[in-house]
Amino acid sequence: MGNETIRCPKCGHGNDTSSNDCVNCGITFEVYLKSQERLARLHEDKGARSPRDKQHSNDKKNEQLAQCPKCGFENDPSSIDCLKCGIVFLKYYEAQEKLIEEQQEEEVLATGEKALEDQTASRNQELEHQRQEILLRIKKEQEKQEALRKEREEQERQEALRKQRLAQERQEALRREKEEQERQEALRREKEEQERQEALRREKEEQERQEALRREKEEQERQEA
């Protein structure tokens, strides 16, 4: 096929250049290459650390990683499928349980029924335990995401309340400022009215005084005449 194929880095099968997954083994090229780089870094870290550091690192890694039951690749605990070989864990265990049931029917002819039942029960128990662990990790991850979502919503609610409170305070400040302006304007008008009335009073008094002087002058002129 020449330039029209791309070779799978895992199984060597030739795939079309537009393919993202291998049609033979099913891996996703990009994910597989990233997982290989991750494995290489883990091996480099193992070689560069002291035995004590290696033990501490292994203990910490075992707490953080979950081993794939098919290829042994160590995945994140929250993963529901393997980054290396691509299997979905729950489907894999369901397939294993089905395979065990099929094998049980074949092994009944060659082994004792009770021994086979005990062996099958043990296998099923182990698979169920592994399945429950995966379900527990998925549940914990979902609870973690839900807690983060609620925390984010609470932060957004508090921020909205803060903005609302600031807007109310600003409106209250504007209202008070307007009331103060209106009060000052009322005082100014009242003062102007008082000054106008005082001016009218003085003007009236002056007119009355002038009128009295005029009458007094007229009276004097009349007496002199």
Side-chain angles (χ1 to χ4, degrees):
M1 297 173 64
N3 295 330
E4 297 181 356
T5 61
I6 181 172
R7 190 169 296 280
C8 174
K10 180 180 179 182
C11 68
H13 182 76
N15 297 272
D16 190 86
T17 54
S18 61
S19 300
N20 294 321
D21 304 327
C22 179
V23 298
N24 184 44
C25 64
I27 68 164
T28 300
F29 300 140
E30 182 179 358
V31 173
Y32 180 80
L33 293 175
K34 286 183 178 180
S35 68
Q36 292 300 304
E37 293 176 359
R38 180 179 173 190
L39 282 174
R41 287 196 300 270
L42 288 174
H43 288 311
E44 290 177 0
D45 291 342
K46 289 180 180 179
R49 296 173 184 170
S50 64
R52 182 178 180 181
D53 291 338
K54 290 180 180 179
Q55 180 63 36
H56 177 72
S57 176
N58 287 335
D59 293 341
K60 185 176 181 181
K61 181 184 68 175
N62 290 333
E63 295 175 357
Q64 297 177 346
L65 301 177
Q67 192 175 64
C68 174
K70 181 179 179 182
C71 67
F73 180 74
E74 292 172 328
N75 297 272
D76 293 334
S78 61
S79 298
I80 61 174
D81 53 9
C82 180
L83 290 175
K84 182 177 181 181
C85 64
I87 68 164
V88 177
F89 296 139
L90 292 179
K91 291 184 177 180
Y92 176 82
Y93 289 126
E94 291 174 357
Q96 290 298 307
E97 290 175 355
K98 184 176 180 180
L99 179 61
I100 289 174
E101 292 175 356
E102 293 175 353
Q103 291 176 347
Q104 179 181 3
E105 295 176 357
E106 297 176 356
E107 292 175 359
V108 167
L109 300 176
T111 60
E113 183 175 353
K114 183 157 188 325
L116 182 58
E117 289 177 354
D118 292 342
Q119 183 181 5
T120 302
S122 177
R123 290 180 182 177
N124 288 337
Q125 184 178 4
E126 181 180 357
L127 289 172
E128 178 63 20
H129 178 69
Q130 292 175 345
R131 189 174 70 87
Q132 290 298 329
E133 286 184 347
I134 291 175
L135 290 174
L136 180 61
R137 288 197 297 268
I138 293 174
K139 182 180 179 181
K140 287 182 177 180
E141 181 65 20
Q142 290 174 342
E143 292 174 349
K144 177 183 176 182
Q145 294 299 325
E146 180 66 15
L148 290 174
R149 183 187 65 79
K150 291 181 179 179
E151 181 180 357
R152 183 171 62 253
E153 289 180 351
E154 178 64 20
Q155 290 175 347
E156 292 174 352
R157 188 180 70 84
Q158 292 296 332
E159 180 65 16
L161 290 175
R162 185 185 68 82
K163 290 180 178 179
Q164 182 181 2
R165 185 172 61 253
L166 290 175
Q168 291 174 346
E169 292 174 353
R170 185 172 66 85
Q171 292 296 327
E172 180 66 16
L174 291 173
R175 184 187 65 78
R176 291 177 181 175
E177 181 180 355
K178 183 178 179 181
E179 289 179 351
E180 180 63 21
Q181 289 175 349
E182 292 175 350
R183 190 179 69 83
Q184 293 296 330
E185 179 65 18
L187 290 174
R188 183 185 65 79
R189 291 176 180 176
E190 181 180 355
K191 183 178 179 181
E192 288 178 351
E193 180 63 21
Q194 290 175 350
E195 291 174 349
R196 189 178 67 82
Q197 293 295 330
E198 180 66 18
L200 291 173
R201 185 185 64 79
R202 290 177 181 176
E203 182 180 355
K204 183 178 180 181
E205 288 178 351
E206 180 65 22
Q207 290 175 351
E208 291 175 350
R209 188 178 67 82
Q210 292 294 330
E211 181 66 20
L213 289 174
R214 183 184 65 77
R215 290 177 181 175
E216 182 180 353
K217 184 178 179 181
E218 288 179 349
E219 181 63 25
Q220 287 177 353
E221 289 176 349
R222 186 178 66 78
Q223 290 177 0
E224 290 177 355

